[in-house]
Amino acid sequence: MSATIAESTKETAAIERRVEALLGQMTLAEKIGQMSQLNASDANAPDYLGDALRAGRVGSVLNVADVEVINELQRIAVEESRLGIPLLVGRDVIHGFKTIMPIPLGQAASFNPDVARDGARIAALEAASAGINWTFAPMIDISRDARWGRIAESLGEDPFLTGVLGAAMVQGFQGDDLAATGTIAACAKHFAGYGASEAGRDYSATNIPENELRNVYLRPFRSAVDAGVTTFMTSFSELDGVPATGNDFLLRQVLRDEWSFDGFVVSDWDSVRQLQVHGLTADDRESAYMAVTAGVDMEMAGDAYISHLEGLVEDGRVSVDTIDTRVANILRIKFELGLFEKPYTDPSRLPPLVSDDALQVARQAALQSVVMLKNDANALPLSKDSISSLAVIGPLADAPYEQLGTWIFDGEPELTITPLASLRDQLSEEVAIRYVRAMETSRSKVSPAFDEAVDAARESDVALLFLGEESILSGEAHSRADINLPGDQAELVRRVKATGKPVIAVVLAGRPLTLSNIVDNVDAILFAWHPGTMGGPAIADLLLGVESPSGKLPATFPRVVGQVPIYYNRKNTGKPPIPETTVLIDDIPVGARQTSVGNTAYHLDAGYTPLYSFGHGLSYAAFRYDNIRVSPAEMSVGDTVTISADLSNDSDVAAEEVVQLYVRDLAASVTRPIRELKGFKRVLVEPGQTVTIDFEIDMDDLSFFGRNMQLTTEPGDFHVWIGGSSDTELRSEFRLVNSE
Ligand code: NOJ
C-alpha cells in the first residue's frame, strides 16, 4: 500500500469512527434534523431559523451568501444546539460567485478541462470566503434539446465531453483536500435524465430506455463519482414513470450498489413533496416514505421529512437503520469538509473577491469559449489598418447584466466589461465607433431606432451587430419553443445588410439558436454564449485578431427547430440518409407517386444535416489534417491502440485548435452511434508548423452497455476519425481481435 493510500484509508476509518460515535449520541429527532435543508434567504435567518437550529432540527441551509449571517447561523448550530453539529451551507454557485465565468455550455465550447477546473476553483475560493461550503454544481445532464432553457447550465450533448469537463469541475470545487480553506463540496445534478424533458419543456416527463440511459445519460455521473464528487441532487423529472426523487433504481441500485457512492443525495427544491403532485404518492407522508427508502438523504426546502419521518419510524415502516445510513452519509461529508474543526469563516484567510487571478481565468475562459461559426472571405479579424470607422449595433453590445447569463445570484453587473467598452478601449482614437443599441432588449420590435442603426452602418466601414438572447430567456423554467433570435433581430440584420457594408454578428445566448434566417445576411458569426464578467475583452481580442477563435460547438445547431433533437452521435438507422436520396420539398415533382424504395431518414424541409455540427468551430489559422494512421491495425483484447494524424497550420497566424477523435463500432450486440467522441486535445500550432497528434484508446474506451446492461467491449471492426469537427472525413480503422 502506498503512503498516500494508507494515509487516506486511515483518515477514512477515523471519519467513520467519528460518524458512528456521533450517531450513537443522537436522538431520532436530531437525526431527522440533519436530513433537513431549509431556505435562509435573508439577513433575518438567524431569527426565524434560530429555534430550529438550537433544537438540532436543521442539517443544512441554502440561499444565504452573507458571511456574517452564515457565521451567526453556524454559531447557533455549533454553540447552542445539544450536539453542536455544524451546518452545510449550500448555494447555486454555477459558473462563478462574484467573478462570473462563461455559462457552463460556453465553458464546454472550450473543450478544455483546465477552463472548467480553474473556473470552479475560483468560484469555490470566492464562495468559501462568504462561508458557503457546498455548491449545487456541476450540472451534467446530457442536453440534446436547445429548446430546454437549462441547456445553458449543461456541458452540452456529448457524454464523453460532459464527463471529462464535469469531473474537472468537481476537482476545481473540491480540490485535493475538502477540508482545506477555499474548497467546497460539489454536487452532481440532476440525477438523472432531466435533459430529456419532453419537447424541451422544463420539468416534463422523460422516457429513456435503460440502455440509452446507461450509455448516454448516466455516463457523466459515473465520471463525477470517479472524480470524488461528494453529493448528488435528484432531478425534478420522472424517468419512465418513476420520479427521480423516489427512484430506487437510480438512487439505490445504480448509485449505491453499482457505483459504491459514499457521499449523500439531496432532493431538488421541494421535490420530495412533489412526488404527490407527480401522482406517485397520495400524500406527503407517503412521499417522505418513498424518498427516504429510495435513497434521498436530505430534503431540500420541504417539510415532508421533518413532519413525517419520525412517525414512519414509530410505525415500523422505515427502520432506524435506514435513517442511520442516510444521516451517516451526511455527517461523513461534514467531517470531510473539516466543519467540526472550522465551522466559521474568516474571509481575510482567502484571496480577495474578483482578484486579478480570477479576472484572468474568466478572460481566458471567455476567450476559449467563443466559437467562430462562419467567416466568409476573411471578414474577420477586423484590422485597425483597414478600417477607420465601425458601427456597433444591437441590444447586447453594452448589456452588463445580460452577458453574465443565467444563475448569477451573486454576480455583480457593475464588474462586467462589455464588448462596447472593450472595443472603445482597444480602438481608442484610431477607429471611430458609432454605437446604436437599436433594440431596448433582445425581444424588441422594429422601431425608428432601426433607421439610426442603418444610418450608422452606412456611414461606417463595417457593421458589428451584437445579437442574441437576454439572460432571462434561458435557464431554469425558461424553455423556448422557437429558438430563432427573438424580437425583430433578423429584420435588423436584413436592413443592415442592405447597406452593402460587411456585417459581423456576435451572438450572445444561452443556447444554440436557429440562425438560418440570418446566416446568409452576415459575413461572419462569433457565437459567444453568455460569456461572463470578462466577455467584453475576450470578444474584442477575437474581433481584432489579438487572439484567434478556438471554441468548438458542444451542441449541434439545428437549421430549424423541428429537427430537434438533433445530435451528432445518433444511430445509423436501417435507412441512413445520404445526399443522393435527400430530395427537398421544393424538388419533389408535382404528382410524384409514393414509393417505399430508396427512402431514407430525413426531413423534407430541412434535410438531415444541421446548420453547424457538434465540434465545429473556425480559426484565423488554416488548419489541415492528414495522414491518419492506427497502430497496431489489429488490437488484441487487453491492448491499447494509438491513432495519429498530422495537423498543419498553413497560415501565418499562430492559433490553438481542438483536435477531436471519433470512433465507430461497426457491428455490436446493441447498435452503436455513427460516431462517438473518444478524445480531444487543445494544441497550439505555429505558422507553417506540422504537429503529430496521438490518441491512445484502450478496451475501456470502446466499452458500452450491452443487452444485459453490463459493460462490455466486443471484438470486431472499428472506424476512427481525427479532425476539427464531428463531420471530419479523415478516417482510418482497426480490428479488435479476441486472441490474447
Ligand atoms: C432548483 C434547481 O433545479 C436546482 O438546480 C438548484 O440547485 C436548486 N433549485 C436550488 O436552488
Side-chain angles (χ1 to χ4, degrees):
M1 211 189 274
S2 80
T4 32
I5 295 178
E7 193 81 343
S8 78
T9 315
K10 241 168 55 199
E11 276 168 27
T12 310
I15 286 181
E16 289 311 309
R17 277 197 300 277
R18 292 179 77 182
V19 169
E20 281 304 307
L22 186 51
L23 262 179
Q25 299 175 53
M26 294 170 82
T27 64
L28 180 59
E30 284 166 335
K31 290 175 184 171
I32 294 167
Q34 286 302 305
M35 300 168 71
S36 175
Q37 182 185 52
L38 297 184
N39 191 21
S41 53
D42 60 43
N44 298 325
D47 297 335
Y48 57 79
L49 293 182
D51 287 347
L53 289 167
R54 284 181 199 97
R57 305 283 280 167
V58 188
S60 172
V61 292
L62 81 161
N63 278 345
V64 51
D66 178 312
V67 68
E68 282 173 23
V69 178
I70 292 176
N71 277 338
E72 177 57 8
L73 293 169
Q74 291 287 24
R75 194 195 61 75
I76 300 173
V78 170
E79 294 177 25
E80 297 185 13
S81 75
R82 193 176 75 91
L83 294 170
I85 304 176
L87 294 165
L88 283 159
V89 181
R91 180 84 166 154
D92 289 289
V93 183
I94 305 298
H95 53 112
F97 184 65
K98 291 284 176 204
T99 311
I100 302 298
M101 308 293 154
I103 54 170
L105 189 61
Q107 291 183 48
S110 74
F111 276 64
N112 186 349
D114 292 340
V115 161
R117 194 179 297 107
D118 284 350
R121 177 178 60 80
I122 298 295
L125 282 171
E126 293 193 348
S129 78
I132 292 159
N133 50 40
W134 177 23
T135 178
F136 305 129
M139 180 180 125
I140 46 178
D141 295 310
I142 294 302
S143 309
R144 292 169 162 181
D145 192 332
R147 293 170 298 182
W148 192 45
R150 304 199 78 168
I151 194 172
E153 298 170 53
S154 82
L155 298 168
E157 74 185 35
D158 186 65
F160 180 76
L161 181 64
T162 299
V164 172
L165 299 184
M169 284 184 175
V170 169
Q171 290 156 359
F173 287 125
Q174 298 192 166
D176 297 332
D177 175 8
L178 212 49
T181 303
T183 57
I184 63 178
C187 182
K189 72 183 189 186
H190 305 85
F191 199 56
Y194 191 22
S197 292
E198 277 176 349
R201 260 188 324 266
D202 206 5
Y203 314 129
S204 294
T206 73
N207 287 292
I208 310 171
E210 186 177 338
N211 194 263
E212 186 179 349
L213 184 74
R214 288 184 179 276
N215 278 314
V216 177
Y217 291 87
L218 296 187
R219 287 226 170 190
F221 287 96
R222 178 62 213 246
S223 305
V225 171
D226 292 344
V229 74
T230 44
T231 75
F232 262 56
M233 187 188 295
T234 62
S235 170
F236 279 131
S237 49
E238 67 161 66
L239 177 68
D240 198 14
V242 184
T245 303
N247 197 313
D248 58 345
F249 162 71
L250 287 173
L251 301 177
R252 271 219 315 270
Q253 182 181 323
V254 174
L255 187 57
R256 300 287 180 187
D257 298 348
E258 295 181 21
W259 297 354
S260 307
F261 174 64
D262 68 355
F264 74 87
V265 177
V266 66
S267 76
D268 203 341
W269 184 280
D270 207 19
S271 70
V272 176
R273 294 191 325 141
Q274 287 166 15
L275 294 178
Q276 189 239 325
V277 185
H278 275 284
L280 186 76
T281 62
D283 53 33
D284 289 354
R285 186 183 165 92
E286 281 311 299
S287 299
Y289 171 79
M290 209 51 106
V292 81
T293 51
V296 175
D297 300 298
M298 181 183 283
E299 179 183 17
M300 179 191 288
D303 61 3
Y305 274 15
I306 211 87
S307 308
H308 299 292
L309 284 185
E310 241 177 297
L312 286 163
V313 172
E314 279 157 15
D315 291 354
R317 292 192 63 209
V318 173
S319 69
V320 173
D321 267 5
T322 299
I323 300 290
D324 283 356
T325 306
R326 305 270 161 277
V327 178
N329 291 339
I330 296 165
L331 294 178
R332 187 175 299 125
I333 303 307
K334 290 192 175 186
F335 281 114
E336 283 181 18
L337 277 164
L339 289 180
F340 288 84
E341 288 71 34
K342 287 186 295 183
Y344 303 117
T345 301
D346 173 2
S348 70
R349 298 191 55 224
L350 284 145
L353 296 171
V354 200
S355 63
D356 287 347
D357 177 33
L359 291 173
Q360 194 43 38
V361 168
R363 185 173 180 151
Q364 263 305 315
L367 199 62
Q368 296 192 11
S369 72
V370 176
V371 184
M372 186 159 71
L373 296 176
K374 163 175 181 167
N375 191 22
D376 282 358
N378 293 333
L380 284 176
L382 301 174
S383 151
K384 289 186 215 176
D385 302 335
S386 52
I387 60 166
S388 60
S389 56
L390 184 62
V392 176
I393 298 167
L396 294 168
D398 196 30
Y401 173 74
E402 309 305 344
Q403 80 180 51
L404 298 182
T406 187
W407 285 118
I408 47 115
F409 286 159
D410 305 288
E412 284 173 20
E414 305 76 59
L415 301 173
T416 302
I417 307 181
T418 68
L420 179 67
S422 299
L423 286 167
R424 284 194 166 132
D425 191 40
Q426 295 203 24
L427 295 175
S428 57
E429 308 293 282
E430 298 156 80
V431 176
I433 294 182
R434 211 168 136 188
Y435 168 54
V436 183
R437 187 175 178 118
M439 298 173 73
E440 190 45 38
T441 75
S442 66
R443 289 167 285 162
S444 303
K445 302 290 181 197
V446 172
S447 75
F450 276 40
D451 298 333
E452 255 181 77
V454 169
D455 288 346
R458 196 172 291 120
E459 288 158 21
S460 305
D461 293 330
V462 173
L464 186 52
L465 274 74
F466 286 87
L467 308 169
E469 294 180 313
E470 300 146 72
S471 73
I472 195 63
L473 298 187
S474 60
E476 185 178 351
H478 288 77
S479 297
R480 296 180 60 205
D482 170 352
I483 52 170
N484 279 338
L485 286 164
D488 281 339
Q489 294 184 66
E491 177 60 18
L492 179 65
V493 174
R494 254 188 305 277
R495 293 190 189 188
V496 170
K497 173 71 183 169
T499 62
K501 292 296 165 78
V503 181
I504 312 293
V506 180
V507 184
L508 287 78
R511 55 162 61 78
L513 296 171
T514 40
L515 299 172
S516 301
N517 61 353
I518 68 152
V519 74
D520 293 335
N521 288 332
V522 297
D523 298 284
I525 305 176
L526 287 183
F527 205 90
W529 319 98
H530 288 134
T533 306
M534 295 299 279
I539 290 170
D541 278 354
L542 294 168
L543 287 168
L544 301 175
V546 179
E547 301 276 353
S548 175
S550 59
K552 300 281 185 174
L553 292 181
T556 302
F557 274 44
R559 296 174 189 277
V560 293
V561 72
Q563 288 181 296
V564 171
I566 181 168
Y567 47 93
Y568 85 94
N569 50 355
R570 62 176 169 82
K571 296 296 185 68
N572 202 34
T573 79
K575 291 174 177 283
I578 48 169
E580 296 72 46
T581 59
T582 306
V583 181
L584 293 182
I585 197 158
D586 292 336
D587 300 327
I588 301 175
V590 177
R593 294 302 175 96
Q594 184 177 350
T595 166
S596 55
V597 181
N599 294 330
T600 60
Y602 70 97
H603 288 109
L604 289 182
D605 43 7
Y608 63 91
T609 57
L611 187 60
Y612 297 112
S613 304
F614 176 88
H616 169 75
L618 305 173
S619 167
Y620 295 148
F623 291 122
R624 178 167 48 86
Y625 287 88
D626 40 32
N627 197 17
I628 186 167
R629 60 244 184 225
V630 179
S631 165
E634 211 165 78
M635 172 188 184
S636 298
V637 166
D639 271 3
T640 59
V641 65
T642 303
I643 303 145
S644 317
D646 298 336
L647 168 62
S648 307
N649 180 351
D650 296 338
S651 72
D652 54 10
V653 180
E656 290 189 3
E657 164 76 336
V658 175
V659 183
Q660 301 154 47
L661 170 75
Y662 295 90
V663 172
R664 178 173 179 191
D665 185 344
L666 293 186
S669 56
V670 169
T671 61
R672 306 300 305 133
I674 54 169
R675 288 184 186 195
E676 288 183 277
L677 184 71
K678 291 292 182 190
F680 54 86
K681 283 184 183 168
R682 182 175 260 278
V683 285
L684 173 69
V685 195
E686 299 293 340
Q689 194 190 10
T690 296
V691 291
T692 296
I693 312 292
D694 297 318
F695 291 98
E696 231 176 51
I697 55 178
D698 61 19
M699 299 280 290
D700 283 348
D701 298 317
L702 302 174
S703 67
F704 63 94
F705 288 87
R707 284 194 205 188
N708 57 4
M709 303 304 157
Q710 300 299 312
L711 214 45
T712 174
T713 305
E714 295 176 359
D717 291 328
F718 292 80
H719 281 173
V720 288
W721 294 259
I722 289 181
S725 106
S726 64
D727 45 25
T728 168
E729 296 296 337
L730 191 65
R731 193 185 88 191
S732 186
E733 58 217 21
F734 67 92
R735 174 167 293 174
L736 174 63
V737 293
N738 227 337
S739 63
E740 297 275 339

